[in-house]
Amino acid sequence: MRIWQQLRERLESLTGQSRWKNSRLRRVIWGVFFFALLTLVLGNQTVPARLDVNVGDVAPRDVRAPRAVFNEILTRQRQEAAEQAVTPVYKREPAVLENAERYVKAIFTEIRRIRGQAAIDLGTRAQNLADRIRLAVLPEEVYEALLTADDAAIDLVEEQALALLRTALGEDVYERDVARVKVGIDSGAEPFILAVEDPNLAQFVRELVKSRIESNMVQDQEQTDWLRTRAAQEVPEVWWQPGQLIIEKGKTITEDQYQALVDLGLVGQKASYQGWAGAALMSLVAVAVMAVSISRWRPELLERDSKLMLLGLIGFITLFLSLAMNLFSVQLGEGASYLMPIALNAVLAAILLDPRVALLQSVLLAVLLGIFASSAQVGAVAVGVVGSAVGVYTVARVESRNDLYRSGLMVGVANAVTVLALNLLESAPLLDWQVWRDVALGAGNGLLVAILATGALPLFETLFGIVTPLKLLELSNPNHPLLKRLMVEAPGSYHHTILVANLCEAAAEAIGADPVLARVGAYYHDIGKIKRPAFFVENQFGGENPHDKLPPSLSAMIITSHVKEGVELAREAGLPQEIVDFIPEHHGTMLVSYFYHMASQNNPSEYVLEEDFRYEGPKPRSRETAICMLADGCEASVRAMRQKGHLSHDQIEQQVRRIINDRLQQGQLDNCDLTLKELDTIARVFVKVLSGVHHARIDYPGQQKPSEGADPAQAGAGQEGSTAAQTGAGQAGAAAGPAGAAEDTEDTTDGDLG
């Protein structure tokens, strides 16, 4: 505990307002600091460290895409592959058959010409015919048969050759079919049957037709190009997705990887000013929105450097944890963004600072992460906003650590429903396991928020001295060392604090102040009396009053010193500042009037300074400490009056309103924002509670009433024990001096004197 106290004191010294005399300058400095830090974080997400590499180099480290970037090279390669995969479109070319027919007819024209050269011997004509036809595979007998056959036979051969050619090229003949057709012509099978009986002439027809067989299917270039263009257009563009690994440490950098680094501005030494400028503008907008909103909603946060530091620390911790979820983007894809614990900021800031500020900061964080986080999408922004809103709502009244897990459960349910709704909007198939995986990640986000908040909350409470409902509940435990000491060493003061705490809680709840803070602060407002309990009448129990032997100035110093001693005890115990404030502020700068008047009467010739008999203050600066001041004075005064006899409801009300009016007239309530309407409400609540405590009782047989002429101080002392026994609340201290109870009907400015 001492270590945490030292850390907190060091933090307060670093953030103390005394270091910054100009509050406006201090706010500007904080704003610039948060702006610079946020720009640095967001800028590094947009513009990572640059590399000095080329194609073929070994990657010095892993680099992931900070944003989506078009992979032009890989897209072009896939488009080319799609074009090559398109089967060319063919069409039949009639000119192939026409050219073949013209060739055959020209051959037979030549045959008839040579046949007409009767003066030349047969051998010479056969050789001339072979030279003209150029079918080397034919023997000489074939040519001689062509020259010796009658004209009818030659006409039949020509007719058969043309018919066979039309049969062969009358169908679609691709390049791959040419050999098959030639084999069919050689075999004479259907449909390539010849009606030529002479085998030599039949052989000539087959060889002549075979020489003209070629593919009659040619590529339709226009249609093929159109199909290939369409196929290339149908290839989806390839993009490097946010968070995708572009280069891997130790592996060679390919051309498309290098181009991606160039497009992202990650190669070379030139800075990417546009990326940094965008990050700076977004940071400026976020900081400005937060500053304006805080100045309107909770301006007091701007006056406490520690509160500003805490708000910024919560925000940046949430930001770093959310960005860390990018490490799982490769395995989980978009689902990794559903793990970003944005609601952690909402839960912690709502408990420690202010719900509205917490929700606004969470919304801004969700938007920034949606823009800059590589794995985040629009869905992640929606999940972050919904989860944060639920988180702020569910921690509005946290009364135990278990309530944090309840809040985490509600955040998880809200996240899961939001993720499911987003998938339904995108018409995602509900049987897809990835849908339910993302739903489970959203629910797990709530559990993660609960675990992190439960662990971080005590640390922030202790380090920054923040009073949360959970911290107040811990401090209200009667086993707290200071409360145990007060109960044992100053039981009368302890009983007084219990009743004052009840008054404070009831009044605070009635006017909308913090009832838990008011009650717990009242528990510790008189702990300084532990040091010298016997000097306070509620702890004397009818015994000797030590003030009878002391001069008034020393008695006043002892009485007022319980404030300083109480503050010292509170700081040693590590109590939050909000609780410590109850100790000096519940007396404000009031006058210890009994000893002041006694000093004036004992030394009429000397001038007695009021400042020597006043508490050092400060005056109450919050509604809760002001309520404690009023409750302390009213409880002491009414109890002192009760010692003289039973009190009616009207008497109690008259005294309560006199005490409150007295404090108001003295200016003790000038520094708190209690209104007259609220003071009237407080008075009515006090009267109701005190009337229940000091109601009339039956006088039991054997009880003795003080005689009419008895000394008021002795009467008050004599009834101390019986009154405490009957009410169970103890004596709050009607008087510290011999006049005791008599003074409370005349002067009620002494909080401990009555």
Side-chain angles (χ1 to χ4, degrees):
M1 181 63 71
R2 185 62 181 173
I3 296 177
W4 289 114
Q5 179 70 17
Q6 293 175 351
L7 286 175
R8 191 169 68 189
E9 291 176 355
R10 179 59 177 169
L11 181 63
E12 291 175 352
S13 66
L14 290 174
T15 60
Q17 294 186 20
S18 60
R19 300 173 63 90
W20 309 99
K21 297 181 179 180
N22 191 322
S23 60
R24 179 172 297 179
L25 175 62
R26 180 175 51 81
R27 296 174 190 175
V28 171
I29 291 175
W30 275 115
V32 172
F33 173 75
F34 289 135
F35 162 75
L37 185 58
L38 187 58
T39 301
L40 181 63
V41 175
L42 299 181
N44 280 326
Q45 292 297 310
T46 307
V47 188
R50 304 169 68 82
L51 298 169
D52 188 11
V53 293
N54 289 298
V55 177
D57 292 347
V58 176
R61 58 182 174 85
D62 292 346
V63 174
R64 298 182 182 275
R67 63 180 185 275
V69 62
F70 179 53
N71 191 333
E72 181 181 0
I73 295 177
L74 188 55
T75 301
R76 186 170 63 249
Q77 291 175 353
R78 293 186 178 181
Q79 289 175 343
E80 292 174 354
E83 291 176 354
Q84 295 299 323
V86 172
T87 302
V89 178
Y90 289 87
K91 62 181 179 179
R92 187 184 296 182
E93 180 57 63
V96 175
L97 178 57
E98 294 171 359
N99 291 337
E101 288 177 339
R102 283 196 297 269
Y103 176 78
V104 170
K105 291 177 180 179
I107 290 296
F108 278 96
T109 299
E110 189 65 21
I111 290 173
R112 289 187 178 95
R113 186 184 66 80
I114 295 176
R115 277 168 61 88
Q117 297 174 351
I120 302 174
D121 63 89
L122 181 60
T124 302
R125 284 186 295 164
Q127 184 61 46
N128 290 337
L129 185 58
D131 292 340
R132 298 292 295 177
I133 296 177
R134 295 178 182 177
L135 294 174
V137 297
L138 295 176
E140 186 177 352
E141 291 80 5
V142 173
Y143 295 111
E144 290 178 353
L146 289 172
L147 295 174
T148 59
D150 56 22
D151 291 339
I154 293 302
D155 292 340
L156 178 61
V157 170
E158 181 180 9
E159 181 182 340
Q160 286 292 303
L162 291 173
L164 185 60
L165 188 64
R166 293 187 183 104
T167 299
L169 296 179
E171 62 180 7
D172 294 342
V173 179
Y174 292 92
E175 195 66 39
R176 63 180 181 273
D177 299 328
V178 171
R180 177 183 59 80
V181 172
K182 289 182 178 182
V183 171
I185 293 173
D186 269 337
S187 65
E190 288 286 349
F192 305 114
I193 300 175
L194 291 177
V196 178
E197 296 180 357
D198 188 336
N200 289 323
L201 296 179
Q203 184 180 6
F204 172 75
V205 171
R206 291 189 178 94
E207 293 299 330
L208 177 62
V209 172
K210 284 169 55 180
S211 68
R212 304 311 301 173
I213 297 300
E214 61 179 312
S215 172
N216 62 1
M217 299 299 293
V218 297
Q219 183 173 322
D220 188 345
Q221 194 63 45
E222 182 179 354
Q223 183 68 14
T224 301
D225 290 345
W226 181 82
L227 290 175
R228 287 177 175 172
T229 301
R230 188 178 70 174
Q233 292 174 346
E234 291 177 351
V235 173
E237 293 182 343
V238 182
W239 287 74
W240 295 98
Q241 297 300 323
Q244 184 178 355
L245 192 65
I246 297 180
I247 60 174
E248 186 176 355
K249 182 179 180 180
K251 292 190 176 181
T252 303
I253 300 175
T254 61
E255 184 180 1
D256 65 315
Q257 291 172 336
Y258 179 79
Q259 186 61 43
L261 297 177
V262 173
D263 294 341
L264 289 169
L266 303 180
V267 176
Q269 301 301 322
K270 185 179 179 180
S272 178
Y273 296 108
Q274 289 184 339
W276 282 105
L281 285 175
M282 289 301 301
S283 301
L284 180 62
V285 170
V287 172
V289 170
M290 285 296 298
V292 172
S293 301
I294 293 175
S295 64
R296 288 181 177 271
W297 297 339
R298 289 292 301 275
E300 63 271 19
L301 293 181
L302 297 177
E303 302 299 328
R304 297 286 296 271
D305 291 340
S306 60
K307 296 293 182 66
L308 288 176
M309 181 182 292
L310 176 60
L311 181 62
L313 182 61
I314 293 173
F316 280 106
I317 288 177
T318 303
L319 182 61
F320 290 138
L321 289 175
S322 299
L323 292 175
M325 294 300 106
N326 289 332
L327 299 176
F328 303 99
S329 59
V330 176
Q331 295 82 3
L332 300 177
E334 184 179 347
S337 61
Y338 298 138
L339 278 175
M340 295 192 300
I342 301 175
L344 175 65
N345 175 87
V347 171
L348 289 177
I351 295 175
L352 295 171
L353 297 169
D354 181 77
R356 290 176 296 178
V357 173
L359 182 57
L360 175 62
Q361 182 164 279
S362 296
V363 171
L364 291 176
L365 285 176
V367 173
L368 292 176
L369 287 168
I371 296 174
F372 291 94
S374 59
S375 66
Q377 303 294 334
V378 175
V381 177
V383 171
V385 172
V386 172
S388 298
V390 173
V392 169
Y393 174 77
T394 53
V395 298
R397 295 187 66 88
V398 176
E399 297 181 354
S400 68
R401 303 291 176 183
N402 291 334
D403 288 340
L404 289 176
Y405 286 97
R406 177 180 58 83
S407 174
L409 176 62
M410 298 301 296
V411 170
V413 171
N415 288 347
V417 172
T418 304
V419 174
L420 181 59
L422 291 172
N423 281 279
L424 291 176
L425 289 174
E426 296 176 357
S427 300
L430 293 181
L431 296 180
D432 188 354
W433 72 272
Q434 291 186 352
V435 172
W436 297 106
R437 181 204 65 180
D438 291 347
V439 171
L441 290 175
N445 186 337
L447 178 61
L448 179 63
V449 167
I451 294 174
L452 293 174
T454 303
L457 193 59
L459 176 63
F460 289 144
E461 287 175 347
T462 305
L463 186 59
F464 288 90
I466 302 296
V467 177
T468 66
L470 297 177
K471 184 66 174 179
L472 291 174
L473 290 174
E474 293 176 357
L475 294 175
S476 66
N477 191 334
N479 290 321
H480 189 282
L482 283 181
L483 294 182
K484 288 188 70 174
R485 285 189 61 189
L486 184 65
M487 179 173 59
V488 174
E489 299 177 26
S493 298
Y494 177 79
H495 294 147
H496 161 69
T497 62
I498 297 301
L499 187 54
V500 170
N502 293 337
L503 290 170
C504 290
E505 182 178 29
E509 192 165 3
I511 67 171
D514 190 338
V516 181
L517 176 61
R519 174 166 58 88
V520 177
Y523 284 158
Y524 294 90
H525 80 283
D526 268 346
I527 58 172
K529 294 181 179 180
I530 295 175
K531 293 287 188 177
R532 302 178 182 85
F535 283 87
F536 300 92
V537 70
E538 68 266 26
N539 300 310
Q540 294 172 2
F541 306 111
E544 182 181 0
N545 191 337
H547 289 286
D548 295 341
K549 302 178 181 179
L550 298 176
S553 59
L554 182 57
S555 293
M557 184 182 67
I558 294 174
I559 293 297
T560 57
S561 66
H562 85 277
V563 169
K564 181 179 180 181
E565 292 166 348
V567 172
E568 292 175 353
L569 288 172
R571 294 194 183 282
E572 290 176 2
L575 296 184
Q577 184 59 43
E578 284 81 352
I579 301 298
V580 176
D581 289 342
F582 278 79
I583 300 173
E585 292 182 19
H586 86 277
H587 281 303
T589 58
M590 291 191 302
L591 179 69
V592 186
S593 59
Y594 174 78
F595 292 115
Y596 172 73
H597 292 309
M598 182 179 291
S600 299
Q601 294 172 1
N602 293 344
N603 301 285
S605 60
E606 296 181 7
Y607 180 72
V608 180
L609 296 176
E610 279 193 5
E611 288 75 10
D612 295 338
F613 292 84
R614 285 191 180 274
Y615 288 96
E616 295 181 1
K619 298 176 181 179
R621 292 171 293 184
S622 68
R623 294 196 294 176
E624 290 78 13
T625 56
I627 292 173
C628 185
M629 167 184 278
L630 300 177
D632 183 66
C634 290
E635 197 281 331
S637 177
V638 171
R639 180 171 296 278
M641 292 175 61
R642 177 67 177 81
Q643 292 176 352
K644 305 175 198 177
H646 299 309
L647 298 177
S648 66
H649 180 275
D650 292 340
Q651 288 177 309
I652 293 176
E653 182 174 10
Q654 182 181 3
Q655 185 67 4
V656 166
R657 292 191 179 276
R658 192 164 76 88
I659 292 290
I660 294 176
N661 185 65
D662 178 74
R663 302 295 188 267
L664 184 63
Q665 293 298 325
Q666 291 188 39
Q668 297 298 322
L669 305 180
D670 291 348
N671 296 337
C672 63
D673 57 353
L674 286 176
T675 64
L676 293 176
K677 182 178 180 180
E678 289 173 340
L679 289 175
D680 180 69
T681 302
I682 292 172
R684 286 188 281 106
V685 172
F686 282 178
V687 171
K688 181 179 179 180
V689 175
L690 291 172
S691 296
V693 173
H694 299 291
H695 59 273
R697 292 173 176 81
I698 299 174
D699 290 332
Y700 292 94
Q703 287 185 330
Q704 296 180 353
K705 296 182 180 180
S707 60
E708 294 294 333
D711 181 70
Q714 298 299 326
Q719 291 188 4
E720 175 73 7
S722 63
T723 304
Q726 293 176 20
T727 64
Q731 172 61 275
E743 186 193 16
D744 63 86
T745 60
E746 301 172 357
D747 188 355
T748 58
T749 60
D750 299 337
D752 292 293
L753 300 179

